[in-house]
């Protein structure tokens, strides 16, 4: 416990630090603006960001603006607000005055105005205007359905549709299978998944994978690996040391889940991974590994402490979104690093690699453009070391 130190720093009092505390103190010192070594990196991969967010009031406002820019396809300001939010999330103190933000990177005019407004009035009028905007509200509603992206939401909005019943009663709209499932399980899928539910699903996937091949390896990834209490889905990496076998692993797993009667939806994407086509120089939203986007039926009896459901729900089960991805074992470290997130942490890892190291990083490889060679890694630590970065634990990647 070094709260004696953080309190003194916050109040600007000089402190005497004992040698035995020095390492802990050095670790958090850069997060104090105006402190002697006040340097917060512009890269999320050089910051430690836990799930404890001391500046929610600001970061939630930034996210509304970022989302609104995203709906209008204005990329620059959208990213700027996400970056600014990510910097504030990493702070071990709460911003109480504009002066506190003086030496922080990634905060522009617009973000500072917003911070000032929130400090003064406890809220932002710009944010409130967006929240009450019909177009924002409608796009937010439509994109909350599994299978409905910003493009589809926009199309529906422009046709004058404003509610789910508008969409579902419009005869000219043909929902695809994913969207039909999205509406069918809307209540369940939009309710957060708890850690206990994630653990229960881990047991189910673990059992299924090992029934197929004994040497299977399964790892929890995504937000739950970063220590989050709740998530919108549960992400797993499943693979086997037998190279090539991973390509057919997922169909076997989903067949088994189907036999168990718990497979409510399955969108399987076969592997298109080809090492000879790498490195890829353009940005790709998805990696090439075999993967499947599932909706599973989770029984209450399998969850310690019961389901995260409403009290009047007496079905005894709920639908949950699960993602499985299956890289070949020699790509495991890259896939794990990529799928652990957060999205902002990943973005900055790639940006750091490109701009500071002349390297290309994605979910498959790390490539050194100067040496023109691929860098091998069996663990995440190997990748951080190649990049010349201090290792950041998964629970410190909530950027
Ligand atoms: N990811 C990726 N490529 C994609 C989608 C996701 O590399 N096309 C990575 C980035 C984060 C991670 O996978 C998990 O994605 P999500 O489940 O969307 O995010 P999360 O951090 O797990 O958050 P949530 O708790 O909402 O699921
Ligand atoms: Mg997730």
């Amino acid at each position: 416990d070094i709260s004696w130190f953080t309190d003194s720093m916050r109040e600007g009092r000089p402190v005497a630090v004992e040698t035995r505390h020095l390492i802990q103190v050095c670790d958090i010192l850069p997060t104090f603006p105006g402190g002697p070594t006040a340097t917060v990196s512009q890269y999320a991969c050089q910051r430690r960001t836990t799930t404890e967010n001391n500046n929610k009031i600001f970061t939630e406002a930034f996210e509304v603006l970022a989302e609104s820019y995203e709906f209008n396809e204005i990329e620059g300001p959208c990213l700027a607000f996400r970056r600014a939010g990510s910097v504030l999330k990493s702070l071990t103190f709460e911003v109480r005055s504009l002066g506190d933000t003086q030496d922080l990177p990634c905060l522009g005019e617009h973000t500072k105005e917003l911070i000032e407004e929130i400090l003064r009035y406890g809220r932002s009028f710009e944010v409130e205007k967006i929240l009450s905007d019909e177009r924002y509200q409608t796009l937010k509603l439509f994109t909350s359905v599994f299978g409905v992206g910003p493009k589809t939401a926009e199309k529906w909005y422009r046709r004058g549709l404003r509610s789910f019943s508008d969409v579902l009663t419009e005869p000219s709209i043909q929902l695809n299978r994913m969207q039909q499932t999205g509406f069918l399980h809307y209540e369940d899928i939009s309710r957060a998944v708890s850690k206990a539910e994630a653990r229960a699903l881990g047991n189910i996937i673990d059992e299924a994978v090992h029934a197929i091949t004994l040497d299977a390896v399964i790892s929890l990834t995504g937000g739950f690996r970063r220590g989050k209490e709740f998530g919108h889905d549960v992400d797993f990496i499943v693979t086997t040391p037998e190279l090539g076998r991973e390509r057919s692993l997922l169909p076997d797993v989903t067949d088994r889940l189907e036999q168990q009667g718990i497979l409510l939806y399955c969108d399987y994407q076969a592997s298109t991974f080809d090492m000879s086509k790498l490195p890829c120089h353009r940005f790709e939203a998805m990696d090439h590994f075999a993967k499947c986007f599932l909706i599973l039926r989770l029984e209450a009896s399998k969850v310690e402490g019961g389901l995260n459901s409403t009290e009047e729900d007496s079905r005894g089960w709920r639908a949950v979104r699960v993602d499985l991805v299956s890289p070949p074992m020699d790509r495991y470290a890259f896939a794990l690093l990529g799928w652990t997130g957060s999205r902002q942490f990943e973005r900055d890892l790639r940006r750091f690699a490109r701009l500071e190291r002349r390297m290309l990083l994605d979910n498959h490889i790390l490539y050194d453009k100067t040496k023109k060679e691929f860098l091998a890694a069996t663990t995440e630590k190997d990748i951080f070391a190649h990049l010349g970065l201090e290792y950041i634990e998964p629970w410190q990647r909530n950027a």
Side-chain angles (χ1 to χ4, degrees), residues 221-224 226 228 231-235 323 339:
T221 173
F224 286 108
R226 302 197 307 275
K228 276 176 54 172
H232 95 282
D233 68 358
V234 195
D235 308 286
D323 286 348
W339 276 81

Side-chain angles (χ1 to χ4, degrees), residues 166-390:
D166 285 352
V167 172
L168 296 172
T169 55
E170 170 59 50
S172 67
I173 284 187
Q174 280 288 329
L175 298 177
N176 63 30
R177 199 173 61 94
M178 198 178 205
Q179 293 159 348
Q180 284 172 22
T181 318
F183 277 111
L184 186 62
H185 298 291
Y186 184 77
E187 290 295 323
D188 276 354
I189 300 175
S190 45
R191 193 170 338 108
V193 184
S194 72
K195 218 183 229 182
E197 289 170 337
R199 257 196 304 272
L201 287 158
N203 295 336
I204 290 167
I205 304 297
D206 189 81
E207 192 276 333
V209 175
H210 283 103
I212 290 154
T213 165
L214 278 176
D215 58 8
V217 180
I218 159 169
S219 341
L220 177 68
T221 173
F224 286 108
R225 182 163 183 251
R226 302 197 307 275
K228 276 176 54 172
E229 290 295 326
F230 293 96
H232 95 282
D233 68 358
V234 195
D235 308 286
F236 295 98
I237 297 183
V238 294
T239 186
T240 127
E242 196 188 326
L243 278 184
R245 173 69 177 99
E246 79 284 343
R247 283 182 177 254
S248 58
L249 191 56
L250 292 184
D252 291 346
V253 173
T254 52
D255 278 352
R256 192 175 166 86
L257 297 172
E258 178 148 43
Q259 283 159 22
Q260 292 172 349
I262 60 172
L263 189 68
L264 299 176
Y265 174 83
C266 174
D267 174 11
Y268 170 67
Q269 304 193 349
S271 169
T272 53
F273 175 68
D274 181 352
M275 199 63 193
S276 70
K277 298 223 168 83
L278 296 172
C280 173
H281 291 266
R282 64 195 142 70
F283 173 78
E284 289 181 318
M286 267 297 170
D287 62 49
H288 292 266
F289 302 131
K291 57 177 76 66
C292 49
F293 307 108
L294 309 177
I295 297 176
L296 297 185
R297 178 187 163 112
L298 178 62
E299 298 292 332
S301 59
K302 306 248 176 186
V303 183
E304 208 185 313
L307 292 171
N308 179 32
S309 62
T310 50
E311 268 166 36
E312 62 269 25
D313 190 349
S314 56
R315 290 172 303 165
W317 66 274
R318 68 166 287 186
V320 199
R321 278 269 304 111
V322 173
D323 286 348
L324 306 181
V325 55
S326 190
M329 195 55 125
D330 60 349
R331 303 291 108 206
Y332 176 79
F334 299 101
L336 182 63
L337 181 61
W339 276 81
T340 298
S342 69
R343 277 166 204 273
Q344 196 57 36
F345 190 87
E346 301 302 325
R347 265 187 213 121
D348 277 3
L349 261 179
R350 280 157 212 205
R351 196 164 59 96
F352 177 87
R354 202 175 61 241
L355 300 179
E356 305 293 332
R357 301 289 186 254
R358 289 202 74 233
M359 291 182 187
L360 287 175
L361 173 71
D362 60 25
N363 286 5
H364 322 96
I365 51 110
L366 178 60
Y367 179 77
D368 187 324
K369 290 199 277 184
T370 312
K371 294 185 187 155
K372 294 195 169 60
E373 65 182 26
F374 291 102
L375 304 175
T378 50
T379 64
E380 290 179 317
K381 283 191 175 138
D382 295 340
I383 304 172
F384 280 89
H386 282 312
L387 289 167
L389 283 171
E390 276 178 42

Side-chain angles (χ1 to χ4, degrees), residues 1-8:
D1 176 28
I2 50 171
S3 57
W4 55 271
F5 174 79
T6 52
D7 289 346
S8 305

